[in-house]
Amino acid sequence: MDKRLLERIIIIILLLVNLFLLLIVLSDKLETRRNEAEMLRAAETLLENSGIAAADKVFAVQSAPPACAVRRDAAAETEKVTSLLGSHSQQDLGGNILFYRSDKGQAVFRGTGEVDILFSGNEVAVRGSREKTVERLMQRVGAEVLLREGTKDEMRVECFCCWNGYPVFNAVLNFDFNDRSLYMVGGTRTFDIETESSDDALLNSVSVLTRFAEMVQAQDFACTRLESLQPGYLMNVSVSGESVLTPVWYLQTDGGALLINAETGRMENTAALKGVSP
């Protein structure tokens, strides 16, 4: 057989095989979407049967973030402090508490994740809005935050710290302003370096909607409307300077906020949220 003809036949066979594999992938994706749509309709029906109206935006397939362990890192922390205070001195106060001081202000970082920063003068002037000022400051530090909505104090901006794009619902920083500048930051931050991550199966948004409906039916939680559903974390500091980030689902309802553990399906304590939605 002619060598060139043989090459063409082989190319055609390879193209046909690739086309066949592509059709299989597309078929699997369509089947997955059909299954997801059916599960969402089933969850919506279950909520309706439980007497719960739900916003349309909650009926989307989402995954929970993986559980992980995070630790404090001295070098990363010093870099953050330098971004905030410039050249500074450091003092170990014991108990895994470090005190930083410079001409621009002072800061205390604790092994529990708690942090207090006091600025001297107008080191962080308000430019634009207070929210934009916080956003620029956190970008400078290399930290991601999410605005915590619903606060009434015009001189304070409250934010959830984030990890890999997901809010940590009990790691909240308060940014306090005067008329011209930011003068104080306080609250709880996430630590610096991820040391471990889990690939365990977690409840996705469809599963958690079903679990939520079961809770209402069992009278474990009282509400009539579900406004939002969001994946995120809770931070648990088991050892000073180390924490576990547990994946959870945050549900905002007309009966208050609810946290459902994405690993166990159990309700978590919402005291740290103070009824304020993310």
Side-chain angles (χ1 to χ4, degrees), residues 38-265:
E38 290 176 1
M39 289 188 295
L40 284 173
R41 283 194 294 270
E44 185 173 5
T45 300
L46 185 58
L47 288 173
E48 290 176 354
N49 293 339
S50 302
I52 305 169
D56 291 338
K57 60 184 177 182
V58 306
F59 295 110
V61 179
Q62 302 180 73
S63 299
C68 59
V70 184
R71 69 172 174 83
R72 186 182 186 183
D73 180 76
E77 183 173 296
T78 299
E79 186 175 341
K80 290 181 173 65
V81 173
T82 301
S83 298
L84 293 170
L85 302 180
S87 179
H88 59 273
S89 63
Q90 176 184 309
Q91 181 181 357
D92 189 340
L93 302 181
N96 210 3
I97 302 172
L98 295 178
F99 175 73
Y100 302 91
R101 180 191 295 274
S102 80
D103 293 339
K104 295 182 179 181
Q106 59 188 43
V108 177
F109 282 68
R110 297 175 174 85
T112 57
E114 292 175 300
V115 57
D116 291 288
I117 304 168
L118 181 65
F119 293 99
S120 304
N122 300 317
E123 297 298 335
V124 185
V126 175
R127 290 191 291 123
S129 66
R130 293 179 176 86
E131 289 79 9
K132 287 294 183 182
T133 301
V134 169
E135 182 180 334
R136 285 191 296 270
L137 180 67
M138 291 295 97
Q139 287 176 346
R140 192 171 82 196
V141 172
E144 184 184 1
V145 294
L146 175 68
L147 181 66
R148 183 177 178 177
E149 299 175 355
T151 53
K152 298 179 181 179
D153 190 342
E154 295 181 357
M155 306 303 285
R156 167 175 285 188
V157 175
E158 296 186 7
C159 294
F160 293 104
C161 294
C162 296
W163 189 260
N164 290 337
Y166 292 94
V168 182
F169 296 117
N170 59 342
V172 178
L173 291 176
N174 303 316
F175 299 81
D176 291 314
F177 291 81
N178 54 33
D179 291 335
R180 295 181 297 171
S181 65
L182 173 69
Y183 72 90
M184 187 167 62
V185 181
T188 302
R189 72 178 186 106
T190 53
F191 290 132
D192 309 291
I193 296 179
E194 183 175 304
T195 57
E196 187 179 349
S197 182
S198 170
D199 57 358
D200 292 344
L202 302 171
L203 296 180
N204 66 8
S205 56
V206 179
S207 299
V208 84
L209 285 172
T210 302
R211 177 69 180 126
F212 171 60
E214 293 172 350
M215 289 179 176
V216 174
Q217 288 179 339
Q219 298 183 342
D220 293 330
F221 189 81
C223 71
T224 59
R225 181 169 177 80
L226 174 61
E227 299 291 349
S228 64
L229 174 66
Q230 184 175 13
Y233 285 110
L234 284 182
M235 183 174 80
N236 176 41
V237 180
S238 53
V239 178
S240 182
E242 299 179 11
S243 69
V244 174
L245 297 181
T246 301
V248 296
W249 288 94
Y250 179 101
L251 296 87
Q252 181 63 44
T253 79
D254 60 348
L258 175 66
L259 286 173
I260 296 180
N261 189 305
E263 294 178 314
T264 66

